[in-house]
Amino acid sequence: MDIPDQFKKLTKQQKKYKLKPFTDYYYSRKGRGFKFLRIPYWINTYGYWMRQENSHKLPKYYRIFERGTVVMVDFGVQVASEFCGPHFAIALNRHDDKYNPVITVIPLSSKDKPWYANLGTELLERITEHFDTLESNADTSLKDTKQRVATLYERFGDGFLRSFNDEDSKILIDAGVAHDHDHLNFTITFGEKNIKARQYIDRIRNAKGFDHSQSLQDYVVEIDGVLDEVDHLQDQLNYVKSIIPAMQSLIAKRAKYNKPTFANTRNITTVSKLRVVKFSSMNVSENIKISDTAMQQIESKINNYI
């Protein structure tokens, strides 16, 4: 690709000269407002993606966004009335695919202007629905976890007590995993990843003669199953814990958007999908899709002004 003369490689001194008007103004401390404060963060983000691009480390495939999906986009630091910073927006792409690196969006605003599309309390309603779903999932998961933990405690709270015949005892003793001819007894700890218990079982599984002892094999299978269950329950508890701050965030957003939301038809823009915040099932971004009625209102307003 031919590069215009004014964009050809500059010397270090020329680069400094080109950037001087900006750096002089920025470090003069005369700048005020949101844009001025956002500049270092945006430059940091911009620099990161430039390095990724020049190192050929950009994604091969991209997320697919359905039309009407609410996304959180970092619009960066722009000029004059262009949207800046992180804002919710609505995806307008009709036929997106994983090879498409960009997304066309219309930003959302809490302010009303003649050229804005009034979506009423649409965003609030969708956030509330998402909050209710998370709350229901957390409640169900917590109840199920409590019941399964109680069942495990009832069965194995005192550890595993098992008697072995002389042949099995010899296998265990020779492998260095038993200090007693009669039984093994160890406790699985709830609330922890049972690494030591798994290492203990692995030593039994690798013991010479294990493959010929059905009772030891049954014992290992039983303990493996319980360890898997305990680890699964811990994961469930961690999930419930992680939901709490997400739900608190959603409560704050629900309060913030407890008023009409407007789509800014004059700031429709196409941005890299890399500017959309990373997906999380607990965020608003990508988990909410506005109604067909709201999309029709946006389309009607766009047709009037574009």
Side-chain angles (χ1 to χ4, degrees), residues 59-237:
K60 183 177 180 181
Y61 304 112
Y62 295 84
R63 288 172 284 174
I64 298 174
F65 298 95
E66 288 187 38
R67 184 176 174 83
T69 302
V70 175
V71 292
M72 175 62 77
V73 178
D74 186 351
F75 289 96
V77 178
Q78 305 300 331
V79 177
S81 298
E82 296 178 17
F83 251 54
C84 295
H87 275 284
F88 282 124
I90 297 173
L92 297 179
N93 298 40
R94 288 188 182 276
H95 305 290
D96 197 14
D97 61 66
K98 65 181 181 180
Y99 301 105
N100 180 16
V102 297
I103 177 175
T104 300
V105 297
I106 180 169
L108 298 179
S109 174
S110 59
K111 299 175 182 178
D112 184 16
K113 294 183 180 180
W115 55 90
Y116 283 13
N118 188 343
L119 305 183
T121 57
E122 176 84 15
L123 188 59
L124 171 65
E125 293 167 9
R126 300 290 84 78
I127 291 176
T128 299
E129 289 175 1
H130 185 49
F131 175 86
D132 291 343
T133 299
L134 282 179
E135 186 177 39
S136 176
N137 291 344
D139 185 59
T140 300
S141 181
L142 189 57
K143 287 180 180 178
D144 177 65
T145 300
K146 286 181 177 179
Q147 180 59 47
R148 292 168 76 169
V149 167
T151 300
L152 280 176
Y153 262 124
E154 184 177 341
R155 292 177 59 197
F156 306 112
D158 294 328
F160 287 83
L161 187 63
R162 182 68 58 88
S163 295
F164 297 100
N165 58 37
D166 290 341
E167 184 178 344
D168 288 343
S169 293
K170 186 176 186 308
I171 292 174
L172 298 173
I173 292 170
D174 289 345
V177 295
H179 303 289
D180 195 304
H181 285 268
D182 298 323
H183 67 270
L184 283 176
N185 183 24
F186 67 89
T187 301
I188 291 176
T189 305
F190 291 90
E192 297 179 6
K193 290 289 184 182
N194 290 275
I195 296 175
K196 289 185 177 180
R198 289 195 181 279
Q199 291 174 342
Y200 198 62
I201 292 305
D202 284 341
R203 290 174 65 190
I204 297 177
R205 187 182 285 110
N206 294 325
K208 184 178 180 180
F210 171 79
D211 292 339
H212 303 291
S213 172
Q214 188 61 51
S215 58
L216 285 180
Q217 292 175 28
D218 292 341
Y219 180 62
V220 166
V221 168
E222 181 181 23
I223 296 177
D224 266 341
V226 175
L227 287 171
D228 288 343
E229 176 74 354
V230 171
D231 288 346
H232 172 69
L233 292 175
Q234 184 59 43
D235 289 340
Q236 280 191 305
L237 286 172

